[in-house]
Amino acid sequence: QVQLVESGGGLVQAGGSLRLSCAASGNISSTNAMAWYHQAQGKQRELVARITSDGSTTYADPVKGRFTISRDNAKNMMYLQMNSLKPEDAAVYLCNAEYRIGTVSLHYWGQGTQVTVSS
């Protein structure tokens, strides 16, 4: 069982920056990928950014050029640097770890951290 704990959320003005962190209780170097999702009130959970075990990254179109995902396997940490924040970025941000065993994918989730962006 892997536990994920997010931190770094808060209130920021539009145009500002935040750095989210995800601390894992297990060894993240064995993950297939890790990702950040967000979920705004009344909306579905959406992928924000994903980083694979070899460091390949993908981003949702609205955050390309503004957000950067990274991971530190030695520290079992993942990060999301968010710059030029917009009011529409406001949501709960959740950390996800994907482990693959054969053809089966196991996903673990954190509780989330709230990001609020004032205009």
Side-chain angles (χ1 to χ4, degrees), residues 58-70:
T58 56
Y59 296 91
D61 286 344
V63 308
K64 285 181 180 177
R66 299 188 297 122
F67 291 10
T68 302
I69 188 172
S70 61

Side-chain angles (χ1 to χ4, degrees), residues 30-95:
S30 59
T31 58
N32 180 63
M34 295 192 70
W36 288 97
Y37 286 73
H38 71 194
Q39 186 165 18
Q41 194 168 7
K43 296 188 177 181
Q44 289 188 331
R45 188 172 295 182
E46 298 177 328
L47 177 67
V48 176
R50 183 175 183 265
I51 184 167
T52 64
S53 58
D54 64 359
S56 297
T57 58
T58 56
Y59 296 91
D61 286 344
V63 308
K64 285 181 180 177
R66 299 188 297 122
F67 291 10
T68 302
I69 188 172
S70 61
R71 59 193 288 173
D72 185 336
N73 290 344
K75 296 181 178 179
N76 292 320
M77 295 288 295
M78 180 177 66
Y79 306 98
L80 185 68
Q81 179 66 43
M82 305 188 295
N83 298 328
S84 302
L85 282 160
K86 303 176 180 180
E88 52 263 42
D89 295 320
V92 174
Y93 282 72
L94 302 109
C95 173

Side-chain angles (χ1 to χ4, degrees), residues 1 14 19 26-27 42 67 73 82 92 95 103 106 114-115 118:
Q1 186 78 10
R19 188 193 193 208
N27 181 7
F67 291 10
N73 290 344
M82 305 188 295
V92 174
C95 173
T103 59
L106 299 175
Q114 178 72 51
V115 171
S118 63

